[in-house]
Amino acid sequence: MLFRQLYDSVSSTYSYLIASRCGGEALIIDPVLERVERYIQLMRELDLKLVKAVDTHIHADHVTGLGELRNRTQCITIMGEHSGVDVVSMRVADGDRIGIEGVSLGVMYTPGHTSDSYSFQMDDRVFTGDTLLIRGTGRTDFQNGDPRAQYESIFGRLLKLPNETLVYPAHDYKGDTVSTIAEERAFNPRLQVKSVDEYIDLMNNLKLPNPKMMDVAVPANLHIGLSQDDVARHGWAVTAREAIDLVGGADVLFVDLREDRERDKHGAVPSALHAPYQQLKRELAEGGMLHELAAATGKRLVFYCAFGERSAMAVAAAQKAGFNTACHVHGGLDAWRKVNGSLGH
Ligand SMILES: [Fe+2]
């Protein structure tokens, strides 16, 4: 297991790089834009392939590295379903799992610091974002923060994890790097309250100045989606409405790039093939299912995913590999649903 806690000293942010082995797939939590070059260098040195980048919530104190990492590595960007961000590749909900080779994170919705705050639990540790910090808790006075919700998230969810669970927060301003659930329950000054009302009172009277970066970071972090218009300008996109008319056509192959979990939960375009985005490279190479099918039938590949981001990257890769009729559904199933496209299981 490869686990790196990386620090951005400007914003006091911790980012976490996780992989099950050198040479394998990697995932990063809460990357910082200015550190992207360092992450990429480290992944090159460790021979890791970044496949997923996750943010615990919309940050107010730094610009996220999600968009830049996606542009540089074609990784999948992930945030929670409550996040107001324009486009990410995948949205997750409480109880879901985020998987890469040999690593699985459990998704916990832990609102309070913001209304889109999530924590991610992995084996013996939990990544708490700004919900639970070491000897502190994330402020609740902006971005739909709510001290009552935070109390519930901490006391009702995080503190119910096993005592020895390691706590890895998104920030630390004092130099602490890790704690445990038992330690925080006993020694976190914010958690020594007798009631939810006492906690609310405490949080409502912190009188903190706004983060220095807030006016820059929040708007930037709300707009991290890949520009699908560039793909459309190449003529590589169809609208959801146009795609509906293509379903069942003898000359097209719809290709679903989502993962099993997303297909089970949200349904799929009837008769679509399934080729998860992470395996796309193999699928498009000689001997791969998509390569062979497209070559044998001459059919047009129509990629789709949840929001159009994975499919936009897939169509660029397919075009580069010589599939010059390939296209994708602009806006993905999200757009498909809005024009009442049918979905099956
Ligand atoms: Fe935050």
Side-chain angles (χ1 to χ4, degrees):
M1 161 92 154
L2 225 139
F3 179 79
R4 296 294 165 93
Q5 182 177 38
L6 302 159
Y7 187 58
D8 172 54
S9 55
V10 178
S11 60
S12 303
T13 301
Y14 285 131
S15 309
Y16 300 93
L17 179 69
I18 305 165
S20 61
R21 63 180 177 94
C22 281
E25 293 183 348
L27 170 152
I28 194 163
I29 298 174
D30 287 332
V32 175
L33 178 64
E34 286 79 8
R35 303 286 157 200
V36 161
E37 196 54 54
R38 171 65 187 137
Y39 308 144
I40 288 185
Q41 182 195 355
L42 181 59
M43 288 187 284
R44 200 183 303 128
E45 289 162 355
L46 299 175
D47 190 23
L48 296 175
K49 176 178 165 44
L50 185 69
V51 294
K52 288 181 177 169
V54 193
D55 264 0
T56 50
H57 63 290
I58 296 208
H59 296 282
D61 51 8
H62 67 270
V63 178
T64 175
L66 251 61
E68 181 66 12
L69 282 168
R70 178 210 51 229
N71 293 346
R72 298 276 296 269
T73 70
Q74 284 72 52
C75 69
I76 295 174
T77 54
I78 303 177
M79 288 194 77
E81 62 178 0
H82 294 83
S83 169
V85 66
D86 59 347
V87 181
V88 278
S89 302
M90 186 188 288
R91 286 183 185 271
V92 289
D94 191 74
D96 283 347
R97 297 203 77 85
I98 299 171
I100 62 165
E101 174 199 3
V103 175
S104 178
L105 302 184
V107 177
M108 298 170 77
Y109 179 44
T110 52
H113 166 58
T114 63
S115 56
D116 74 332
S117 288
Y118 282 74
S119 298
F120 303 110
Q121 195 253 326
M122 180 184 86
D123 304 329
D124 61 346
R125 59 199 66 195
V126 62
F127 304 96
T128 53
D130 293 354
T131 302
L132 177 60
L133 305 174
I134 299 173
R135 309 299 191 266
T137 57
R139 61 194 298 175
T140 54
D141 56 339
F142 56 72
Q143 288 183 286
N144 302 317
D146 178 349
R148 182 179 297 277
Q150 191 175 48
Y151 181 93
E152 279 309 315
S153 294
I154 294 172
F155 284 87
R157 302 291 304 275
L158 293 172
L159 293 189
K160 297 240 160 98
L161 292 170
N163 277 334
E164 60 280 11
T165 306
L166 299 168
V167 173
Y168 283 103
H171 293 288
D172 192 86
Y173 306 95
K174 311 172 299 295
D176 290 317
T177 53
V178 60
S179 180
T180 66
I181 289 294
E183 217 179 295
E184 290 312 305
R185 187 190 294 109
F187 305 115
N188 189 320
R190 297 251 176 102
L191 306 187
Q192 310 311 309
V193 291
K194 294 193 177 56
S195 67
V196 61
D197 291 324
E198 195 183 329
Y199 186 74
I200 293 169
D201 201 48
L202 174 73
M203 294 307 287
N204 284 344
N205 288 291
L206 294 176
K207 300 193 174 65
L208 299 166
N210 279 347
K212 287 191 285 284
M213 283 281 286
M214 186 166 163
D215 295 339
V216 177
V218 172
N221 289 338
L222 285 171
H223 298 287
I224 61 164
L226 175 149
S227 173
Q228 294 178 32
D229 292 344
D230 291 346
V231 173
R233 265 192 291 277
H234 280 99
W236 299 344
V238 290
T239 64
R241 214 176 277 284
E242 288 164 346
I244 288 171
D245 293 334
L246 294 176
V247 174
D251 52 351
V252 293
L253 280 175
F254 273 82
V255 182
D256 188 342
L257 297 165
R258 295 170 305 153
E259 299 181 358
D260 286 333
R261 179 196 62 77
E262 297 173 278
R263 288 160 56 83
D264 292 346
K265 200 162 165 181
H266 303 292
V269 171
S271 79
L273 296 172
H274 183 209
Y277 177 75
Q278 265 160 259
Q279 292 160 29
L280 184 73
K281 208 171 160 189
R282 206 181 320 143
E283 292 284 359
L284 289 175
E286 217 159 304
M289 172 188 74
L290 289 182
H291 183 103
E292 298 307 316
L293 262 175
T297 63
K299 290 185 182 185
R300 180 185 196 190
L301 298 173
V302 183
F303 293 104
Y304 77 92
C305 60
F307 302 99
E309 190 156 294
R310 276 169 280 181
S311 57
M313 295 189 285
V315 77
Q319 288 280 348
K320 202 172 159 198
F323 299 91
N324 50 23
T325 59
C327 65
H328 87 124
V329 181
H330 194 104
L333 275 201
D334 186 46
W336 178 271
R337 230 176 272 115
K338 284 178 186 149
V339 293
N340 300 314
S342 65
L343 294 171
H345 274 281

